[in-house]
Amino acid sequence: MMTNEWIDVSQPLTNDMAHWPEDTPFSYSLTIAKQDSGSVNIGQITTSVHTGTHIDAPFHFDNDGKRIDELDVNLYVGEAIVLDVGNVQEITVETLGNFSFDGVTRVLLKTSLPNDHTRFPEQIPNLDPRIADFLAEKGIKLIGVDMPSVDALDSKELPTHHALYTNGIHILENLMLDNVEQGNYELIALPLAIKGADGSPVRAVLRKKTETDHN
Ligand SMILES: Nc1ccccc1C(=O)C[C@H](N)C(=O)O
Ligand SMILES: [Zn+2]
Ligand SMILES: [Zn+2]
């Protein structure tokens, strides 16, 4: 059987990468050099947990919501469908109504936003909060986007975050889908086990399903 290779759809974590204005930038530095320790190089990282490819815990936008370490890891591993919605600036129920969801529980939206991890976008396509009900009805438990947020960048109310949460749909942000075509994949995007956290970086990878794969 032909097996496809896993492909990386995560933003590289670089010291010049984009971050939310007023949020903590990502930085990696070597704090102990081998010539000084006599044995090893040791680095440290500093970052907001919402920089780069990451998941939101419900606690990010709801004080009573689950924290990262309380989330089921099964949400982040398994079959996912990539949908190309790059033809619209506003993603609505009507946009999604054109697709078949095939009984998958994870949907990744590829928008028109070009992937550039060094540039924080000025504007992003809008996700109508009403898609939450629609996706929940299709059995979706995880939505992934190639943008820093599922709401407008200046939103304080975060209507789409809340609508998804209310419908039991978890959120994955800042995927890199430029080189991924629409279709059925397997996804791995596991968060770190950060106790009590509101979000976590993930390493997100996809593998295209072949016709011989079972569902
Ligand atoms: N880090 C921030 C700093 C300031 C204002 C918003 C954010 C966010 O993270 C919101 C976004 N909806 C997110 O989940 O990534
Ligand atoms: Zn986030
Ligand atoms: Zn978010």
Side-chain angles (χ1 to χ4, degrees):
M1 191 190 91
M2 240 260 310
T3 314
N4 291 315
E5 302 231 297
W6 289 98
I7 52 171
D8 193 358
V9 290
S10 330
Q11 292 191 355
L13 298 170
T14 62
N15 288 6
D16 65 346
M17 77 188 299
H19 58 87
W20 283 83
E22 295 168 44
D23 203 351
T24 315
F26 175 85
S27 105
Y28 166 82
S29 60
L30 202 62
T31 40
I32 302 175
K34 189 172 175 204
Q35 55 266 36
D36 299 328
S37 69
S39 58
V40 285
N41 291 311
I42 302 176
Q44 69 165 15
I45 56 172
T46 308
T47 186
S48 160
V49 292
H50 300 273
T51 299
T53 309
H54 70 278
I55 62 159
D56 289 350
F59 174 63
H60 179 47
F61 44 85
D62 184 326
N63 283 337
D64 299 322
K66 281 193 179 170
R67 315 286 183 106
I68 286 291
D69 55 303
E70 297 167 329
L71 297 171
D72 185 354
V73 292
N74 290 287
L75 288 163
Y76 306 101
V77 184
E79 250 193 88
I81 188 164
V82 174
L83 301 180
D84 190 337
V85 293
N87 54 326
V88 291
Q89 278 309 303
E90 165 94 23
I91 298 145
T92 62
V93 170
E94 201 188 358
T95 318
L96 299 181
N98 297 326
F99 299 103
S100 141
F101 288 80
D102 269 354
V104 294
T105 58
R106 302 172 195 82
V107 60
L108 310 179
L109 300 181
K110 175 178 172 165
T111 73
S112 58
L113 193 74
N115 298 156
D116 178 357
H117 77 287
T118 64
R119 195 180 152 270
F120 196 82
E122 263 147 49
Q123 237 203 317
I124 58 174
N126 191 53
L127 290 186
D128 186 334
R130 280 171 292 203
I131 65 168
D133 283 324
F134 174 85
L135 291 173
E137 234 166 79
K138 300 281 179 194
I140 299 299
K141 297 272 181 256
L142 178 75
I143 186 172
V145 292
D146 57 359
M147 317 188 278
S149 184
V150 294
D151 276 292
L153 297 172
D154 59 356
S155 173
K156 290 269 181 263
E157 307 289 326
L158 304 176
T160 303
H161 279 81
H162 284 280
L164 290 165
Y165 173 47
T166 308
N167 281 282
I169 302 174
H170 294 75
I171 300 167
L172 167 61
E173 293 167 329
N174 276 336
L175 288 164
M176 303 263 275
L177 299 174
D178 273 2
N179 301 317
V180 177
E181 60 186 31
Q182 180 166 303
N184 288 76
Y185 293 82
E186 287 171 275
L187 167 76
I188 305 176
L190 286 168
L192 303 176
I194 310 173
K195 176 90 179 156
D198 58 291
S200 171
V202 299
R203 185 71 182 264
V205 291
L206 287 175
R207 180 165 74 172
K208 190 144 180 82
K209 297 208 59 158
T210 58
E211 283 101 66
T212 49
D213 286 341
H214 301 278
N215 276 316

